[in-house]
Amino acid sequence: MDYTEEIIASMDSRRRARFINSLSGFKSANLIGTLDKEGNENLSIVSSVFHLGANPALMGFIIRPASVERHTLDNILETKAYSINSVCTDFIASAHQTSARYSKCVSEFEAVGLTPFYKGKKGPFVLESSIKIWLELVSHQTLEVNSTELIIGEIKLVMVNEGAVMPDGFIDIEALDVATVSGLDSYHMTQRIGRLNYAKPGHRLFPLTREGEPSSWKAIGLKNEQGEVE
């Protein structure tokens, strides 16, 4: 079926939101941890975190327009810092529950049964998360196109199991039991197909091991450019 602009516009708002949110495919699922100036903790699930640059190390995410209270945004603008924590497969339900509209005086950590964790003056992180990132705010923009808010932070600390970090810097996300999300409410486990070398014009592609070393197509279950398993 072809979904024209008119058909999409005619959908009720909830169906349209689910439909459009599903189009971009699998997205990372993360929990944003913040504090207000009084030290009250807040935790919110987002699926809009993205890589922005490696030098300086920047990440961004999008917050909905100001049609509802946005404690996460308010806290970030107050304190200029926040954490990003991966959602793992063993606490998906708790992570999803943070999307409920709790009052500002309620800690989502306590409400959903997750554990706040602090590293010196940095936090709150999610103790149960396998990737914990601390960022300081560098840019806040309201996007003219739809009034969503773009938050850009510079990475100041990363906590991750060293065994998942390969010699070439690649992080084996799958080994950390990190979940992914599609649409607004569908959570998934992943299965890696394989790694490939850096692509250059006129140079042949070849597969890499998890550690970043040359491998055979057969070893990682891939077919070469001719559709053959070598």
Side-chain angles (χ1 to χ4, degrees):
M1 177 175 176
D2 294 339
Y3 288 87
T4 63
E5 180 181 5
E6 292 76 19
I7 291 174
I8 294 171
S10 70
M11 294 178 179
D12 70 76
S13 60
R14 291 296 180 91
R15 184 166 189 260
R16 182 170 59 248
R18 291 189 179 95
F19 181 82
I20 297 299
N21 267 277
S22 299
L23 292 176
S24 57
F26 297 114
K27 300 164 286 187
S28 63
N30 291 281
L31 289 163
I32 307 295
T34 60
L35 292 173
D36 65 16
K37 286 185 176 179
E38 285 70 47
N40 297 307
E41 296 168 342
N42 180 264
L43 192 64
S44 177
I45 191 168
V46 299
S47 61
S48 60
V49 170
F50 57 92
H51 159 83
L52 196 57
N55 187 24
L58 301 175
M59 296 178 75
F61 72 98
I62 300 292
I63 292 180
R64 68 180 66 181
S67 58
V68 296
E69 288 186 323
R70 299 170 300 172
H71 304 149
T72 295
L73 177 61
D74 293 342
N75 292 350
I76 290 174
L77 296 181
E78 281 186 5
T79 65
K80 312 300 182 186
Y82 55 100
S83 70
I84 296 178
N85 309 268
S86 60
V87 173
C88 298
T89 57
D90 58 352
F91 61 87
I92 286 172
S94 294
H96 186 78
Q97 182 61 28
T98 67
S99 62
R101 295 180 183 177
Y102 293 99
S103 66
K104 187 173 176 59
C105 62
V106 173
S107 167
E108 284 82 359
F109 283 96
E110 183 176 346
V112 307
L114 292 173
T115 311
F117 168 75
Y118 289 83
K119 186 82 169 181
K121 295 183 179 180
K122 297 178 174 64
F125 299 96
V126 177
L127 180 65
E128 293 83 357
S129 179
S130 56
I131 303 176
K132 307 174 184 68
I133 309 166
W134 184 250
L135 306 95
E136 292 181 359
L137 178 67
V138 295
S139 179
H140 164 234
Q141 304 171 35
T142 300
L143 302 185
E144 183 179 352
V145 65
N146 64 354
S147 298
T148 53
E149 310 274 354
L150 169 61
I151 298 295
I152 298 173
E154 184 171 0
I155 296 171
K156 298 299 182 180
L157 174 67
V158 177
M159 288 179 280
V160 61
N161 188 324
E162 187 63 25
V165 182
M166 299 300 105
D168 64 352
F170 168 73
I171 300 176
D172 187 358
I173 301 292
E174 192 169 278
L176 298 171
D177 294 323
V178 172
T180 186
V181 61
S182 64
L184 295 171
D185 53 18
S186 181
Y187 294 88
H188 308 261
M189 299 175 67
T190 65
Q191 182 177 354
R192 181 172 49 251
I193 297 172
R195 296 184 66 187
L196 294 173
N197 66 300
Y198 187 81
K200 297 180 181 179
H203 289 254
R204 187 173 183 268
L205 285 175
F206 56 86
L208 303 175
T209 65
R210 185 182 76 132
E211 294 75 19
E213 299 296 328
S215 181
S216 69
W217 297 94
K218 184 177 181 179
I220 61 174
L222 288 175
K223 295 181 179 179
N224 63 17
E225 295 96 323
Q226 289 74 44
E228 303 167 338
V229 177
E230 297 179 346

